[in-house]
Amino acid sequence: MIYPVILSGGAGSRLWPLSREHYPKQLLCLAGEGTLLQQTITRLDGLSGVSPPMLVCNEEHRFLVAEQVRQLGKDPLDIILEPVGRNTAPALTLAALSLLKQEENALMLVMPADHVIQSPEAFHHAVSEAVMLAQDERLVTFGIAPATPETGYGYIKKGKGNDVAAFVEKPDAETAQAYLASGDYLWNSGMFLMRASLWLEELARYRPDILDACRSAFEQGMRDGAFYRINKQTFSACPSDSIDYVVMEKTHRAAVVPLDAGWSDIGAWPALWDVSEQDEEGNVTQGDVYMHATQNTLLIAQHRFLAAVGLEDIIVIETPDAVLVAHKDHAQNVREIVNRLKAEERSEYQQHRRVHRPWGCFEGVDRGERFQVKRLTINPGAAISLQMHRRRAEHWVVVKGTAKVTRGDEEYTLSENQSTYIPIGERHRLENPGPVPLEIIEVQSGGYLGEDDIMRLEDNYNRHNQS
């Protein structure tokens, strides 16, 4: 049996401002139908002998990941939650430890959640070839047939047959051109196929400290509904490293299967431009966009009308709270903007104006001294936690749907255009008993309006038991 292991821990900072820490690129619809995570799952359709996928993700994304899987009408084998990011080697190790409880000879098909593959059929063919190698006790990686002298990827030098001669770091432009001309090199895709037991065996040989930390954190973990929580304190002490550095560059069991399937890791904005449908002038647009005398440009408008005149090789990304303008040649440096936002503790690196919660979402509308206004959308059948605030009061106005309100010892229903008031320190809950999304305008007032002024007393999503 092949067990897909989908690693969904990346932040995608070079795709800011669309990709943010709390809503990273794998959860976005960027190219084709569905999000990148959903595409990763659906490209397994038609591949025989495959189990439901196991996902490893940041615990902050757990409800978003679970909801995107649910939207596909699929049930994951499990969703393992990393309390902190520790790169791909520990993430894969957690999955391997879990899978060995399922099957002694489990084959892991390891896929990052944020790649594009335009030909699932070619991918399936490569997986079938890799299975035979993995059954012969090889650790298989997939190498992408290079189309350009790319400096943003690591390379794999081919050996005899499927052997790997060497893993090579990201080259400069001249070296990349030489690699392309030689025909001896493949891009390193970061996808693998191997036995779970063999991965753990090789990890024990080369990095027993990582294996020991992961095993302890896994064994000290606990079930939380649809999720498996890894012990935070133990896992935080685990070294951070990648699959390649830890094992693949050292083992004599490495093998490579070439893959020519329209692959991209969408690592930066030019990569999205490259895989998207372009007009006769080489432009890619999304949203309400007008252009004049513009060529080879990527224009995305999420919130406002966007007009471009006389641009060439430019990227413009418009969102409700941030706009990026960059030349394609400098797109890799978008990460520096994100680093500065982090250093200055600005919220734009971390979350969008619309913030998702397991019950729905909220969006900031206005704010000023001692007040802010939000629009809440609560899904049918969902409810916010039973909670209280120490430093703010709230006014709720129903604009669509029906609300069931708990306020202190009272329970009552509000319809459209009706409102209620929640005093400071009063326990309260808002539920949607109806069949359509409930939309609420919430006006908060008080001396402190931060999201951390929430004391959860009960919660349908078990957040009141989490730090």
Side-chain angles (χ1 to χ4, degrees), residues 10 38 43 49 70 84 121 133 143 147 185 196 199 201 221 225 244 248 292 302 317 319 321 327 349 372 409 420 427:
Q38 289 173 328
R43 80 172 53 107
R70 186 200 66 79
V84 293
E121 296 80 9
L133 291 165
Y185 291 82
W199 166 256
E201 179 184 319
D244 286 333
M248 297 302 292
H292 176 73
Q302 281 200 333
I317 312 297
T319 72
D321 63 343
H327 194 281
Y349 86 91
Q372 69 177 344
D409 294 329
T420 193
R427 69 187 190 101

Side-chain angles (χ1 to χ4, degrees), residues 269-465:
W269 289 117
L272 179 61
W273 174 85
D274 197 43
V275 301
S276 301
E277 185 176 352
Q278 302 162 12
D279 67 16
E280 62 275 8
E281 298 296 328
N283 298 310
V284 174
T285 64
Q286 295 180 22
D288 192 6
V289 176
Y290 281 13
M291 297 173 295
H292 176 73
T294 294
Q295 297 178 326
N296 302 323
T297 289
L298 174 63
L299 301 167
I300 296 178
Q302 281 200 333
H303 185 65
R304 287 162 286 192
F305 170 65
L306 174 61
V309 179
L311 301 185
E312 185 172 359
D313 294 326
I314 299 297
I315 295 160
V316 182
I317 312 297
E318 181 275 332
T319 72
D321 63 343
V323 178
L324 170 71
V325 181
H327 194 281
K328 283 183 184 177
D329 292 345
H330 297 277
Q332 296 286 341
N333 295 326
V334 171
R335 180 178 286 171
E336 300 307 314
I337 300 295
V338 176
N339 290 339
R340 181 172 175 181
L341 292 171
K342 286 183 180 180
E344 296 180 4
E345 298 183 346
R346 295 186 55 146
S347 63
E348 290 92 343
Y349 86 91
Q350 196 169 51
Q351 61 190 27
H352 291 272
R353 182 177 292 178
R354 175 176 292 179
V355 178
H356 293 263
R357 291 289 185 260
W359 44 260
C361 63
F362 67 83
E363 184 172 355
V365 176
D366 192 13
R367 69 178 300 152
E369 187 175 356
R370 295 183 61 84
F371 85 93
Q372 69 177 344
V373 182
K374 294 181 177 180
R375 178 168 52 241
L376 280 62
T377 301
I378 300 176
N379 297 327
I384 68 171
S385 57
L386 181 65
Q387 59 186 242
M388 60 179 289
H389 310 296
R390 299 182 187 277
R391 301 174 66 182
R392 73 175 188 244
E394 295 177 340
H395 301 254
W396 294 337
V397 181
V398 178
V399 296
K400 182 180 178 181
T402 301
K404 179 181 177 183
V405 177
T406 299
R407 185 180 64 182
D409 294 329
E410 301 177 85
E411 284 192 2
Y412 51 95
T413 299
L414 297 178
S415 301
E416 293 179 9
N417 301 319
Q418 293 183 321
S419 62
T420 193
Y421 169 66
I422 309 296
I424 293 175
E426 186 74 271
R427 69 187 190 101
H428 59 277
R429 168 175 265 165
L430 185 61
E431 302 176 56
N432 180 3
V436 300
L438 168 63
E439 295 185 11
I440 296 281
I441 295 298
E442 176 181 88
V443 181
Q444 302 176 355
S445 59
Y448 180 75
L449 304 172
E451 280 299 302
D452 53 347
D453 180 25
I454 299 177
M455 177 182 291
R456 292 190 176 96
L457 308 173
E458 295 177 7
D459 185 62
N460 294 345
Y461 315 101
N462 203 29
R463 293 173 298 166
H464 61 303
N465 289 328

Side-chain angles (χ1 to χ4, degrees), residues 152-287:
Y153 300 142
Y155 282 71
I156 300 169
K157 185 177 182 181
K158 295 183 289 185
K160 183 178 180 181
N162 292 103
D163 290 345
V164 172
F167 287 86
V168 183
E169 293 298 310
K170 297 175 182 178
D172 58 29
E174 183 178 354
T175 304
Q177 185 62 55
Y179 288 169
L180 182 64
S182 74
D184 295 331
Y185 291 82
L186 301 166
W187 291 337
N188 189 348
S189 72
M191 297 186 294
F192 306 90
L193 201 152
M194 61 187 71
R195 290 193 191 278
S197 57
L198 183 58
W199 166 256
L200 297 178
E201 179 184 319
E202 293 296 275
L203 187 64
R205 176 175 291 111
Y206 298 111
R207 288 300 300 270
D209 55 335
I210 292 179
L211 177 58
D212 291 345
C214 288
R215 179 174 279 124
S216 295
F218 183 83
E219 291 175 351
Q220 295 168 21
M222 60 178 289
R223 176 62 54 187
D224 179 9
F227 311 107
Y228 188 77
R229 284 186 175 275
I230 302 304
N231 181 273
K232 183 174 183 178
Q233 183 176 354
T234 306
F235 193 67
S236 296
C238 180
S240 176
D241 219 331
S242 71
I243 295 168
D244 286 333
Y245 288 155
V246 165
V247 169
M248 297 302 292
E249 294 182 4
K250 301 179 176 69
T251 182
H252 68 280
R253 296 181 181 274
V256 62
V257 170
L259 175 62
D260 187 1
W263 171 92
S264 174
D265 70 347
I266 315 292
W269 289 117
L272 179 61
W273 174 85
D274 197 43
V275 301
S276 301
E277 185 176 352
Q278 302 162 12
D279 67 16
E280 62 275 8
E281 298 296 328
N283 298 310
V284 174
T285 64
Q286 295 180 22

